[in-house]
Amino acid sequence: MTTNRRALLGAGLCMTAAFASRAGLGAMPAQTPVQVQGCEWPAASGELRQYACDWLPVAGALGDDGDDRAAASRDFGNIVQRPPRAVVKPASATDISSALRAAGRSGQKVAARGQGHSTYGRAMAEGGVVIDMSGLNAIHRIGADHIVVDAGATWERVLEATLAHGLTPPVLTNYLGLSVGGTIAVGGIGGSTSRHGMQTDHVLELDIVTGSGEPLTCSRGSNADLFDAARAGLAQCGLITRATLKLVRAPERVRRYQLFYQDLASLAVDQRRALQADRFDQLQGAILPDGKSGWRYQLEGALFYGKASPPDDNTVFASLSGNRETAVVTDLTYHDDALAFAKLEALLRSKGHWSNPHPWLFTFLPNVNAEQLADEILGRLSGEDIGQLGRVTFYPLRTRASGTPLVRWPEGGVAFCCNIVHMPASADPAQVDRLLANNRLIYDRVVDAGGVLYPVSALPMTPQDWEHHFGPAWPKLRQARRRYDPLGLLTPGYNLF
Ligand SMILES: Cc1cc2nc3c(=O)[nH]c(=O)nc-3n(C[C@H](O)[C@H](O)[C@H](O)COP(=O)(O)OP(=O)(O)OC[C@H]3O[C@@H](n4cnc5c(N)ncnc54)[C@H](O)[C@@H]3O)c2cc1C
C-alpha cells in the first residue's frame, strides 16, 4: 500500500469515527438505494448519505479497484460469486482494527481472505468488506520449539523458514498453499493428524482483532474463551493476525508406500491393522476412479527416517495384504514430500481443471459403519463426477490425538476421513447443481449415521445445521460470538448465526 493510500485510510477512519459518534449509528436501515461516488448505498436520508461519504475514503483508498474485488468475489470452489463493496489490504493489525471499527459503524459484514481456497464462499462478504490477509505474511521469530508468524503466511512459507533450522510444524496439510489463518479457522488436517491431532492443537498463542476491532492476545492461559473460539471456530469472533506455533524436529527423509486393493473392505482391513499397530508415521488412503464405473482402492503410508538406513520394505509389506507386485515405493526428502501436491497442482492448472468448479465434500465417518457409508457414497457418484485427477480420500485416524474444542468428531476414538475431491474436466453448471444437491443428500445420510462434517465443504448450511454440527460446543461459541463480535459482522459466508 502506498503512503498516500495509508494516509487516506487514516483520514477516512477519523472522519467516519467522528461522524458515527455524532450520529450514534449502528447498522444502516434499509431504504431506497442511493448512488454515492459511483457506489450504491442502501439508504437515502441526508444523514446516511453523509455517512456513506465518510466511509468511502476508506473503501476507495484500500484497493477496491475492479481486480481486487473480482478476486475477492471468487474462491477455489468456483461455485458462488459474491462481490464485496471493498477490499482492504492491511499492513498491520492496527489497519485491521481500524477497518473493523469502521465496518461496525456502518454495519458492513467483513470476511478475512487468506489464500481463497475455500469451496463455498466462506471467505466472502457480499456487499461488505474483504480483508486480504496475504500481505501480512512475515516470519517474526523462530525459537527452538516455536515460530511466530503473521497469519497471512502460507504453510509453505512457514515450512521453508523452519526447515532452515531443522524444525517443522508437527502437522502439515497435504497442500501447503493454504494460509496459517485460513487453516486455523477450520482445523487443519494432514497425514500426521492421527499421531499429532490438528494444526489447531499446536497453536500456542494467537494475536486476534475481535469483531469489535479490539486487538487481543490469547492462549490456553489468557483469554482462553477467545483462544478456544478462534481455533476451528470458522472466524466468527475475530481475525487472526499473528500466531505462535509449536515446532518439532523435522525428519530428514520420507519413505512412502502405495498399495492397491481389489475392494473397499480389504483396504479398510489393512488400514485398521496399520493404525492399530502404529505401522506408519502418516497413514492415508483413497478411492480412485477406474474407468467409467469402477474404482481402485489405495493405501498410502509413510515412514520418516534420518541418517540411519531406510526402513525395511519387506517388514512393511509383510504386515499388509495389499498387492506387493503393483506397490509403489518412493523415497524423498521431507521437504520434497511435503511439497508433493504442488506437482498435482501444476498438472491441474495445465489442464484447466484447477479453475473448474470444485463441489468438494469432506466428512468424518464413524469407524463402526465407515465401509457401509463409503459404499453408499460411492453408489451416488460416477468416475466422471470425480474426474480423472480427483479422488475420494478414505482413511482412519485416531481422534483422541486432537483436543481442539471446536473440532467435531464422530464417537468412538477412531474416525474415517472421507473427502470427495471432485476435479471435474468441465465447468458444466448443471453438473455442479447436481453434485451440490448430492452433497446435501450425502451430508444428511452421514450425519444420521453418526458422522460429522469437516467444514471446508461445499454445501449450503443453515444456522440449525451448524448448531447440530457443533453440538455441546455450540453454546460456548455463541457466547463468544456475542462477546467478541456483538454486531455480528464477521464471516457471513458460513451462515452460522
Ligand atoms: C487444493 C486444496 C487442498 C487442501 N488440503 C487441505 C488439507 O490437506 N487439510 C486441510 O485441513 N484442509 C485442506 N484444504 C481446505 C483448506 O484448509 C481450507 O479451505 C482453508 O480454509 C483454506 O485456507 P485459505 O488460506 O485458502 O483460506 P480462505 O479460503 O482464504 O479462508 C478460509 C476461511 O478462513 C477465514 N480466514 C482466513 N484467514 C483468516 C485469518 N487470518 N483469521 C481468521 N479467519 C481467517 C476466512 O474468512 C474463511 O472463512 C484444502 C483446500 C484446497 C483447495
Side-chain angles (χ1 to χ4, degrees), residues 75-77 110-119 121-124 131 133 151-153 172-191 198-199 230 234-236 238-242 284 341 354 358 360 362 419 423 454-456 491 493-494:
D75 60 20
F76 175 81
V110 178
R113 178 182 168 92
Q115 290 290 316
H117 285 108
S118 300
T119 52
R122 312 307 194 193
M124 295 179 197
I131 302 192
M133 301 297 295
L172 291 170
T173 45
N174 285 12
Y175 175 51
L176 299 187
L178 312 167
S179 74
V180 169
T183 67
I184 292 176
V186 294
I189 194 169
M198 305 290 267
Q199 290 182 319
L234 310 182
Q236 299 299 303
L239 302 188
I240 302 162
T241 56
R242 194 175 284 196
Q284 295 187 305
F341 192 97
W354 189 258
H358 301 110
W360 294 4
F362 196 149
N419 187 8
M423 288 291 186
Y454 181 42
V456 298
T491 324
Y494 292 101

Side-chain angles (χ1 to χ4, degrees), residues 46 80 168 211 268 291 298 428 454 474:
V80 297
T168 179
Q298 171 186 308
D428 176 12
Y454 181 42
W474 177 254

Side-chain angles (χ1 to χ4, degrees), residues 120 136 155 163 179 236 322 356 442 449 480 495:
Y120 205 68
L136 269 188
W155 286 97
L163 277 184
S179 74
Q236 299 299 303
N356 282 339
I442 293 171
N495 194 27

Side-chain angles (χ1 to χ4, degrees), residues 37 43-44 46 88 90 116 139 165 183 220 255 269 294 313 347 353-354 367 417 480 488:
Q37 293 181 16
V88 173
I139 308 282
H165 299 257
T183 67
R220 282 183 182 80
R255 198 160 176 87
V269 165
D313 296 345
L347 181 64
H353 296 189
W354 189 258
N367 185 29
C417 298

